[in-house]
Amino acid sequence: MRPLTRAAAFALGAVAGYAVDARFADPRRGHPVALFGNAATRLERRLWRDDRTAGTAYTALCVGTVAAGALALDRTVGRRPLGRAALAAAATWTVLGGTSLTREARTIGRSLAAGDLTAARERLPHLCGRDPSALDGQQIARAVVESVAENTADAVVNALTWGALAGTPGLLAFRAVNTLDAMVGHRSPRYARFGWASARLDDVAGWPGARLTALLTVAAAPEPRTAWRVWRRDGSAHPSPNAGQAESAFAGAVGVRLGGTLDYGHRVEHRPVLGAELRPVTVDDIERACTLSRRVGALALGTTVAGHVLLRLLMKRGGA
């Protein structure tokens, strides 16, 4: 029996890691991403300055440490096929957040369906950074659908895309980049300069996966033509170069209007409307968005695994 190739071992591990996330989601305590976040917070206390140079050094140190460590581990543990597969499985489970994402969204949806607006407001910060205090039920439902769309890209497709391109180190390095963006990449007075490098690096790293998310959303949509039309027309209207791709495609796929005014507590943003001709979001659309997210995630797994195998094959032939 021939041993697994490096590409096949990664593919096997990625499928296993995806299955573990689908079954068990994220642990409540001790998640590797949370441990990275704690370490990054301690480092921030030492390096923070109100300038871009300090922020760039902070970003390079955090991401570089993860990438170098993952590469060393991949070369050490990955010398045996089963070791490569196990490492890929652990890394894939670590970086994926699709199951936790849809669980949180459905929890809020159940509260809204039961008329418990207070519970829905209390739970919304677990999903996104908006101020829920003045939001009504429809606005909360819209926030949930938009968060499901954006995080389907960030927590699932983007990570798998970098796994396809760079294997296990790509998976872990992208999660480090995306986590730093969530921590320091927003436009608050403290992070406007210090978080600039993290935000820009996340924009670059998320570019291919955001467009793949939109394409897969069109493929998984009940009405692909509507999803395609809204994505191609409105995807670039969003202030983020990447978030608008997934959100506009989801708007067309679910058949709802997204975007508009967002209140983050310390700032208010007036974003373009995505799918302006479509109907407003309702509570029932939360479940539709969650179902769509799971379909997109499954398609992303198949696409990126196949892409990784093909890329390794092309590299092997090119080297030969």
Side-chain angles (χ1 to χ4, degrees):
M1 183 177 178
R2 296 179 63 184
L4 290 174
T5 65
R6 179 175 290 274
F10 174 82
L12 178 63
V15 172
Y18 186 93
V20 171
D21 175 72
R23 177 63 180 85
F24 299 105
D26 297 330
R28 296 184 181 275
R29 296 181 180 179
H31 194 287
V33 174
L35 297 178
F36 168 78
N38 292 336
T41 298
R42 291 193 294 269
L43 183 62
E44 180 196 336
R45 296 193 188 107
R46 293 175 174 270
L47 297 184
W48 186 89
R49 301 288 187 278
D50 189 21
D51 64 69
R52 290 183 176 182
T53 301
T56 300
Y58 168 78
T59 301
L61 187 57
C62 289
V63 176
T65 299
V66 171
L71 185 60
L73 193 61
D74 185 55
R75 289 181 175 178
T76 301
V77 179
R79 290 177 180 176
R80 296 180 179 273
L82 290 180
R84 288 197 295 268
L87 182 60
T92 302
W93 167 75
T94 295
V95 304
L96 292 182
T99 301
S100 294
L101 168 66
T102 54
R103 285 184 181 179
E104 287 289 347
R106 284 167 169 153
T107 297
I108 298 171
R110 286 192 294 270
S111 296
L112 291 175
D116 192 344
L117 189 59
T118 299
R121 285 173 174 165
E122 290 176 350
R123 200 68 190 177
L124 186 63
H126 291 259
L127 195 62
C128 63
R130 300 180 200 180
D131 181 5
S133 59
L135 300 182
D136 60 24
Q138 192 278 328
Q139 291 169 323
I140 291 177
R142 193 195 91 194
V144 171
V145 172
E146 290 173 349
S147 295
V148 168
E150 182 176 0
N151 286 295
T152 296
D154 284 344
V156 183
V157 183
N158 283 342
L160 290 173
T161 299
W162 279 100
L165 295 173
T168 298
L171 289 169
L172 296 175
F174 173 79
R175 180 52 58 214
V177 170
N178 190 244
T179 302
L180 286 183
D181 178 62
M183 293 175 62
V184 305
H186 40 87
R187 298 176 182 175
S188 66
R190 177 178 175 84
Y191 296 124
R193 295 184 180 86
F194 184 80
W196 174 84
S198 293
R200 298 292 78 75
L201 182 59
D202 185 69
D203 287 343
V204 173
W207 196 96
R211 278 112 191 117
L212 179 59
T213 302
L215 285 171
L216 296 179
T217 300
V218 171
E223 294 291 339
R225 291 184 179 180
T226 302
W228 174 268
R229 184 184 74 248
V230 176
W231 168 45
R232 299 305 298 159
R233 186 191 66 203
D234 298 340
S236 298
H238 196 284
S240 166
N242 297 324
Q245 305 297 315
E247 288 188 26
S248 60
F250 261 70
V254 180
V256 295
R257 183 167 62 245
L258 300 178
T261 300
L262 307 179
D263 187 350
Y264 288 95
H266 60 279
R267 75 181 192 279
V268 175
E269 290 187 9
H270 301 284
R271 295 181 178 176
V273 174
L274 310 175
E277 73 277 18
L278 303 175
R279 60 178 175 80
V281 177
T282 66
V283 174
D284 291 340
D285 293 316
I286 293 177
E287 179 58 34
R288 295 188 182 98
C290 289
T291 300
L292 179 63
S293 176
R294 300 305 288 169
R295 290 174 180 170
V296 170
L299 288 174
L301 176 66
T303 301
T304 55
V305 163
H308 180 77
V309 172
L310 178 61
L311 182 61
R312 294 291 302 185
L313 180 60
L314 292 175
M315 291 173 62
K316 184 176 181 179
R317 289 185 176 179

